[in-house]
Amino acid sequence: MDINSYQHRILDGMGEAVYVWDRNKKLIFHNKAAEELNKLPSLALSGLSCHHIMGREGKGCAAFCPLIQVMDSGESMERVECELVRADGELRRVRVRINPLFKGEEVTGAISFMEDITEFHRLEENYLKNQKELKDTLEDLRKAHCNLEESRNFLVESQRVGKMGSWSWDGKSERAYCSEESFRLLGLPYDERGISLEEYFSAVHPDDRARVEQSLEDSFKGGGLFNETYRLLFPDGSIRIHNDQAEVKLNSEGEPEGIIGIHHDITDLRQTEEALVKREKLYRSILKTTRDGFHRANRAGQFLEVNEAYCRLLGYSEEELLNREIWDVEALETPDEMEVRRQSIRDEGYAQFETVLKRKDGSTVEVELIVQYRPEEDDFFCFTRDITEKNQIAEELKQARKMEALGSVAGGIAHDFNNLLTPVMGLAELLMEELPEESESWHKARDIFLASGRGANLVRQILAFSRKSHRRVSLIRLHPLMDEIQRLMRSAVPLSVDLHFDLEGDCGGIKADPTQIHQIVINMVNNAFHALENRSGRVCVELCEISVEPDSPLVGFLEEGRWARISVSDNGVGMSKEVMEKIFDPYFSTKGPGQGTGLGLAVVYGIVQEHGGEITVESELGEGTAFHVYLPVSEESVSEELPLLSGQ
């Protein structure tokens, strides 16, 4: 298509970008708007293909190319929206119109008009976003109104259940405004217009009135807290005990301008306290001398009495427990299950069983309960003994026997398997030497050799777990060893993992096989970054020396003295309690099929135990995991030279 100067000026004056294409989709003409849209000078645009113009160099055309369709069909295409990548890398949204060009009946090219509609799209998106935000705001207001109504109903119901009312006094109107429960507790009809202070205190017992009025007057003079417990005398002759707490607000001239407070019917609490005082003398001497916890509960499950040992066991004060029910501290059985058990105890009169209780701090304690039902008082007498340590010892013995049995079986199998692997590896290596290098047979022999090597490595792990491998124990310093591991792991851990080492330089020496210590740390670090599940995260490796003193919380778990602690932590997916209980079991793995042998942490556990150490794990789902290895520090002096790590 030939364009004369007049047509050229007309096209240059158009606001739309104009492109003229030949039959091969090469640009033969464009206007100034096209140069501005593509951010390319005229010479750079001329001769480009359509996919270069659209910023898709080297990618070819899309499966649906409007330009090809127009040229092939000879029909125009209107209002096609697509994306254009400018020379400066900015993505623009354009609307395209394409018309075919004819010479006679033959299509010789096409002319396309592009309109930049990026800003229109942005305005449209902002409009839709604002519409959604407005809708969300209206929905939030509706929910807030519902929540406000629910909160009001909750407050009214809570005050009714708690026998507690709220009230306030306005200095200007000199009226007291009380909640519905306040009017009920005071024995007055509800009046939303409020009542006078005289009416508020009208039911105060005559013997308490002077004290209450004097306390209120003192609060009016100096401001601050009004706190009085007094009796209310009702027309029917009944007496209730109330506690009133209120704060008096003074204005700038020191005059009272308002009061806000609560009052609570504490009659039942006082009666309970008096009953407890009467019974306390009966059981004081017995309960103070026993080491077992004791509590007395009624048919409704309310604690009526507890001794000091029971309070210490659960971490509650006596008052806190007396305001709770037995299912508040039960961690194993549901209230329905407990009620079934209590009915059985009422029928039999006696029961002895084990359960788990929940302490105030959220921890649990395993206990043995001896419960006796007292039909004459309809109460349950219960003695509680902490059996956590006894159960832990039994579980540790069970685990030790299981690990010992598995180790013996695994060790025997590993030795036999190693004997089978040795000739396989040797013959594979000989074949590699005899066959032409890089030939197909050579590669097959090499695959056999490598597979055998992996099998041999698995055998070494099994032997380490079963403690039947040969150790080379020497007196070593951990810092140089850990420093070498740090250099090794820097290149092995993915860049997305922030691997941090914090090594204490003056950590004491230990008697150990450096190869096995190396294996411990490598296994734990590998386990840590696998826990990140291919996400970016942080793995921290720490080395320090700790001292276990007689008052240390580690006493009982570790012997007193100096210990080297190696910690590996991550902020990965974490583990559930059920997984943590099995994490050191051989062949247990949280990885998918083919991604692990399940021996890594079992080997770590075996090596640590073999070196006279201990290992612990802390983890929460979604919070990460931390392993701590404790190894005894030797009192012998150690050379600065690190023993050679053979077999790495």
Side-chain angles (χ1 to χ4, degrees):
M1 173 183 177
D2 296 327
I3 299 175
N4 58 39
S5 60
Y6 174 72
Q7 292 171 325
H8 196 293
R9 287 194 300 273
I10 292 176
L11 294 176
D12 273 344
M14 293 181 66
E16 289 181 299
V18 180
Y19 305 85
V20 180
W21 313 89
D22 64 13
R23 195 64 178 84
N24 296 320
K25 299 188 296 178
K26 299 293 183 180
L27 185 65
I28 59 176
F29 173 81
H30 62 274
N31 66 352
K32 290 183 178 180
E35 297 174 14
E36 178 62 26
L37 178 59
N38 287 90
K39 293 297 182 184
L40 283 174
S42 176
L43 291 177
L45 276 172
S46 297
L48 293 178
S49 62
C50 63
H51 58 270
H52 282 84
I53 294 296
M54 300 304 289
R56 301 180 179 276
E57 301 93 318
K59 299 179 182 178
C61 294
F64 171 73
C65 177
L67 190 59
I68 293 177
Q69 187 173 3
V70 168
M71 290 186 181
D72 289 346
S73 66
E75 296 179 358
S76 298
M77 186 172 291
E78 299 288 336
R79 303 177 65 84
V80 177
E81 291 188 10
C82 55
E83 293 178 344
L84 179 144
V85 182
R86 304 165 83 162
D88 58 6
E90 183 180 359
L91 181 67
R92 306 296 291 182
R93 189 76 181 176
V94 295
R95 182 180 292 134
V96 184
R97 292 181 291 115
I98 308 174
N99 297 319
L101 298 176
F102 294 91
K103 187 174 183 180
E105 295 183 358
E106 180 184 359
V107 177
T108 59
I111 181 169
S112 59
F113 303 87
M114 289 190 190
E115 179 186 359
D116 189 343
I117 59 172
T118 305
E119 295 304 322
F120 172 78
H121 265 266
R122 288 176 182 168
L123 290 174
E124 184 179 35
E125 289 174 357
N126 289 336
Y127 171 77
L128 294 176
K129 179 182 178 183
N130 291 336
Q131 285 290 98
K132 183 180 183 302
E133 290 178 351
L134 177 60
K135 182 179 179 181
D136 291 343
T137 301
L138 292 175
E139 179 63 18
D140 290 342
L141 288 174
R142 186 191 66 79
K143 290 180 179 178
H145 176 75
C146 294
N147 291 337
L148 183 61
E149 187 65 22
E150 289 178 1
S151 298
R152 178 191 175 281
N153 294 337
F154 176 77
L155 178 60
V156 170
E157 187 66 14
S158 298
Q159 289 191 354
R160 184 190 68 79
V161 173
K163 296 182 179 180
M164 179 180 294
S166 57
W167 65 283
S168 64
W169 177 79
D170 180 33
K172 293 181 180 179
S173 64
E174 295 188 347
R175 304 288 288 176
Y177 301 96
C178 307
S179 66
E180 296 176 16
E181 183 64 16
S182 293
F183 279 104
R184 193 189 68 79
L185 293 175
L186 295 172
L188 299 173
Y190 178 72
D191 189 346
E192 63 180 10
R193 297 170 300 176
I195 57 177
S196 66
L197 281 179
E198 289 76 14
E199 290 177 288
Y200 180 82
F201 290 108
S202 61
V204 174
H205 196 284
D207 294 344
D208 298 339
R209 184 178 298 277
R211 172 173 56 83
V212 172
E213 290 178 348
Q214 183 62 49
S215 177
L216 184 62
E217 183 179 348
D218 293 342
S219 299
F220 274 173
K221 291 179 181 179
L225 186 66
F226 167 73
N227 187 355
E228 285 294 332
T229 299
Y230 50 83
R231 293 168 292 172
L232 293 182
L233 178 60
F234 295 99
D236 62 358
S238 61
I239 294 176
R240 305 293 293 180
I241 303 173
H242 278 214
N243 174 256
D244 210 325
Q245 297 186 41
E247 186 176 9
V248 179
K249 299 292 185 180
L250 304 179
N251 59 21
S252 58
E253 298 176 357
E255 298 176 346
E257 64 177 4
I259 303 175
I260 184 169
I262 60 171
H263 61 266
H264 187 196
D265 185 339
I266 60 172
T267 307
D268 296 339
L269 179 62
R270 280 295 179 89
Q271 292 174 348
T272 302
E273 290 175 350
E274 291 173 1
L276 287 174
V277 169
K278 291 178 181 179
R279 300 298 298 269
E280 183 178 3
K281 293 181 181 179
L282 178 62
Y283 301 104
R284 186 186 300 272
S285 59
I286 298 175
L287 298 182
K288 279 195 172 182
T289 56
T290 181
R291 296 177 59 186
D292 293 335
F294 168 82
H295 75 263
R296 182 169 62 91
N298 62 15
R299 178 184 286 266
Q302 296 172 318
F303 285 112
L304 302 178
E305 191 173 357
V306 294
N307 72 345
E308 294 179 5
Y310 193 72
C311 293
R312 287 194 303 270
L313 179 67
L314 298 181
Y316 288 101
S317 67
E318 181 180 355
E319 181 181 358
E320 288 173 325
L321 283 174
L322 293 178
N323 286 317
R324 282 171 168 75
E325 298 174 334
I326 57 174
W327 18 78
D328 293 334
V329 298
E330 172 65 35
L332 189 61
E333 295 182 336
T334 65
D336 290 341
E337 291 172 335
M338 292 181 67
E339 187 55 40
V340 172
R341 184 186 291 276
R342 283 160 60 84
Q343 181 59 50
S344 174
I345 296 173
R346 282 193 290 267
D347 295 340
E348 301 294 332
Y350 173 87
Q352 182 174 348
F353 58 94
E354 295 182 4
T355 186
V356 180
L357 299 183
K358 179 170 55 180
R359 292 189 173 105
K360 181 179 179 180
D361 61 6
S363 61
T364 58
V365 55
E366 300 174 26
V367 296
E368 180 183 56
L369 300 183
I370 299 176
V371 187
Q372 183 180 18
Y373 176 62
R374 310 273 296 186
E376 63 274 13
E377 297 178 353
D378 197 18
D379 288 344
F380 294 86
F381 281 54
C382 179
F383 284 89
T384 307
R385 175 168 296 177
D386 185 350
I387 59 171
T388 304
E389 185 176 356
K390 183 186 80 171
N391 288 351
Q392 286 176 345
I393 293 173
E395 185 62 29
E396 289 173 2
L397 179 60
K398 177 182 176 182
Q399 179 69 9
R401 287 173 177 172
K402 181 178 73 172
M403 298 293 278
E404 183 179 359
L406 284 171
S408 298
V409 174
I413 295 173
H415 273 299
D416 292 341
F417 189 52
N418 194 49
N419 292 336
L420 296 173
L421 281 177
T422 300
V424 173
M425 291 183 68
L427 291 173
E429 192 170 11
L430 289 174
L431 281 173
M432 289 172 62
E433 292 178 358
E434 295 174 359
L435 293 170
E437 191 170 348
E438 300 301 326
S439 65
E440 181 180 356
S441 297
W442 184 88
H443 278 287
K444 290 180 178 179
R446 179 175 175 272
D447 289 342
I448 295 172
F449 180 78
L450 293 177
S452 301
R454 288 191 293 271
N457 184 56
L458 179 59
V459 167
R460 285 193 293 272
Q461 293 188 57
I462 296 174
L463 289 175
F465 163 71
S466 63
R467 305 184 187 180
K468 294 184 178 182
S469 59
H470 178 65
R471 290 196 302 146
R472 297 185 179 130
V473 177
S474 59
L475 189 59
I476 63 171
R477 290 186 67 244
L478 282 173
H479 184 273
L481 175 62
M482 296 293 290
D483 197 42
E484 177 180 329
I485 295 173
Q486 177 179 188
R487 292 193 300 271
L488 173 66
M489 295 306 296
R490 290 290 183 197
S491 60
V493 173
L495 295 177
S496 59
V497 177
D498 178 14
L499 182 59
H500 176 72
F501 278 75
D502 185 6
L503 308 178
E504 185 178 289
D506 56 355
C507 180
I510 65 170
K511 286 186 176 180
D513 183 338
T515 299
Q516 292 190 333
I517 301 302
H518 191 280
Q519 187 177 6
I520 287 176
V521 180
I522 294 296
N523 274 351
M524 290 196 298
V525 173
N526 283 333
N527 198 67
F529 78 73
H530 281 306
L532 299 177
E533 294 189 342
N534 298 321
R535 297 181 291 111
S536 60
R538 183 177 177 86
V539 175
C540 296
V541 182
E542 299 180 19
L543 169 66
C544 66
E545 181 178 318
I546 64 170
S547 179
V548 178
E549 305 294 340
D551 58 347
S552 171
L554 292 173
V555 169
F557 174 67
L558 299 177
E559 295 181 1
E560 295 180 24
R562 298 163 60 202
W563 293 81
R565 184 178 67 193
I566 302 172
S567 300
V568 178
S569 60
D570 63 75
N571 60 352
V573 295
M575 294 182 287
S576 65
K577 182 179 179 182
E578 292 75 14
V579 172
M580 288 174 60
E581 291 175 353
K582 301 178 181 179
I583 197 65
F584 296 115
D585 287 0
Y587 308 111
F588 175 79
S589 175
T590 59
K591 303 183 181 71
Q595 298 182 18
T597 63
L599 283 174
L601 289 176
V603 169
V604 169
Y605 179 86
I607 293 174
V608 171
Q609 293 292 311
E610 195 172 3
H611 283 76
E614 296 290 347
I615 182 170
T616 64
V617 58
E618 304 167 0
S619 185
E620 288 187 21
L621 283 174
E623 299 294 330
T625 303
F627 287 90
H628 304 287
V629 172
Y630 299 88
L631 298 170
V633 173
S634 174
E635 297 300 328
E636 300 178 28
S637 60
V638 58
S639 170
E640 292 294 321
E641 182 180 356
L642 179 71
L644 180 63
L645 298 184
S646 60
Q648 297 302 313

